Amino acid sequence: MKRQVNEAVRRVADALETWDGIDTITLMEGEEDVYDPYFFLSVDAYYRGPLLDADRRRELFPFAGAFESSLANRKDRFLMGDLPVRVEYKDIARFEDIIRGDSVTNGAFRDSGTYMFFRLQHCSVIRSRSDWIEQIRNDITQLRDEFWDGLRASVQSRMEHFVSDLGAAVIQNDDLFYLVSAAGFIRSLTSLLFAINRRFEPSARLLAEQTLKLPVLPESFRGRFDSFLRRDSEITREKKFEIAELLARSVLNL
């Protein structure tokens, strides 16, 4: 299986290199076992200039089966035999703009937090035409206080908003709004903790585990965190809201 994976990575990299705009190709390893149902080959293609349209990208991979493309997410999914592959296209200029700026209030981290930097930090470099990735990796280890302070303020505001929404959903007994608010709250809470610890956020599959390993956590955090996540009919929504308030208050005091 390892040989099959290595061969698939090589073929994907060879195909991507035919596009002159590609600067660096990386592989994210270690998040899932090959035999895990969640497994897929996760490739990032960092490019300069315009993004090729979906039809032209499809032509890069004549060996791909079940090819699907998402223009909104700049992502292609396909199969190589029984191996699922995901290729995500990332504009180098966007990373450079974020690194150069002092503010993070532009929504750059609204959907996936700082996972983009986590991937840069932990990926394996498959191909590279320049030293860009070495430079950007060095840059993200030296982010200024303004970056982390701005990130914390932005995420904190979202967390407080979701706490308020969660309380309203409980009062109104609104099932859907409760689920949306609970998800938004716990996601923004963990993002805030990673910002406070000046760490980049991992993928959602590793988030619970890595959150509990952060060096700076509030007192009694683990118990409250587990209680909020627990699916237990004895813990009412009113109680979950109380736990959310306690979690939020304890993190704000850090």
Side-chain angles (χ1 to χ4, degrees):
M1 180 60 74
K2 184 65 173 177
R3 179 181 298 179
Q4 183 182 358
V5 168
N6 290 340
E7 176 62 15
V9 171
R10 183 193 65 78
R11 292 185 70 187
V12 170
D14 287 347
L16 287 168
E17 276 195 320
T18 64
W19 172 12
D20 291 339
I22 294 292
D23 182 278
T24 304
I25 303 166
T26 67
L27 178 70
M28 197 67 192
E29 296 181 294
E31 291 195 358
E32 297 91 16
D33 183 85
V34 174
Y35 298 102
D36 190 297
Y38 286 134
F39 173 80
F40 58 89
L41 292 180
S42 183
V43 177
D44 288 337
Y46 295 91
Y47 69 93
R48 296 184 185 275
L51 176 67
L52 294 181
D53 62 39
D55 288 338
R56 292 182 65 191
R57 299 202 307 270
R58 185 191 298 267
E59 293 172 0
L60 295 176
F61 309 107
F63 48 79
F67 187 95
E68 296 180 353
S69 182
S70 171
L71 182 59
N73 295 322
R74 301 186 176 191
K75 188 179 298 183
D76 295 330
R77 297 181 177 87
F78 52 86
L79 294 174
M80 295 183 66
D82 57 355
L83 287 177
V85 179
R86 183 181 298 174
V87 181
E88 190 163 351
Y89 303 93
K90 300 188 174 182
D91 189 349
I92 285 175
R94 180 169 180 261
F95 284 83
E96 293 175 343
D97 287 344
I98 293 172
I99 292 295
R100 293 190 189 112
D102 292 336
S103 174
V104 293
T105 59
N106 58 2
F109 305 103
R110 181 172 296 278
D111 296 325
S112 59
T114 53
Y115 182 48
M116 64 173 73
F117 288 158
F118 180 92
R119 291 182 71 89
L120 274 172
Q121 195 172 51
H122 296 281
C123 66
S124 297
V125 179
I126 306 303
R127 308 280 173 87
S128 183
R129 287 180 166 138
S130 74
D131 62 352
W132 173 79
I133 194 163
E134 286 77 17
Q135 292 178 358
I136 201 75
R137 278 175 163 173
N138 180 66
D139 289 341
I140 63 176
T141 65
Q142 302 180 59
L143 291 169
R144 292 178 288 181
D145 291 344
E146 291 86 354
F147 173 89
W148 293 109
D149 292 344
L151 180 62
R152 175 171 180 166
S154 177
V155 177
Q156 180 173 312
S157 176
R158 291 205 303 275
M159 183 194 70
E160 292 172 328
H161 176 79
F162 280 118
V163 171
S164 176
D165 284 351
L166 191 62
V170 169
I171 293 171
Q172 294 296 326
N173 197 28
D174 188 324
D175 294 340
L176 179 57
F177 192 35
Y178 174 84
L179 288 173
V180 171
S181 301
F185 164 71
I186 203 67
R187 187 68 181 86
S188 56
L189 175 79
T190 55
S191 292
L192 179 54
L193 280 168
F194 276 90
I196 289 169
N197 282 270
R198 301 195 172 194
R199 301 279 182 91
F200 301 131
E201 299 167 63
S203 70
R205 295 186 183 98
L206 297 176
L207 192 55
E209 173 191 345
Q210 294 298 316
T211 297
L212 294 175
K213 290 181 179 179
L214 290 171
V216 178
L217 290 172
E219 186 178 352
S220 303
F221 177 81
R222 179 184 289 271
R224 291 168 178 166
F225 187 68
D226 289 343
S227 294
F228 187 84
L229 296 178
R230 189 183 308 148
R231 290 183 294 176
D232 187 338
S233 58
E234 294 184 1
I235 303 180
T236 64
R237 289 182 178 179
E238 289 78 10
K239 183 62 177 177
K240 285 284 184 81
F241 175 56
E242 291 177 11
I243 295 170
E245 287 188 306
L246 289 171
L247 283 167
R249 195 176 301 122
S250 66
V251 172
L252 292 176
N253 287 332
L254 290 177

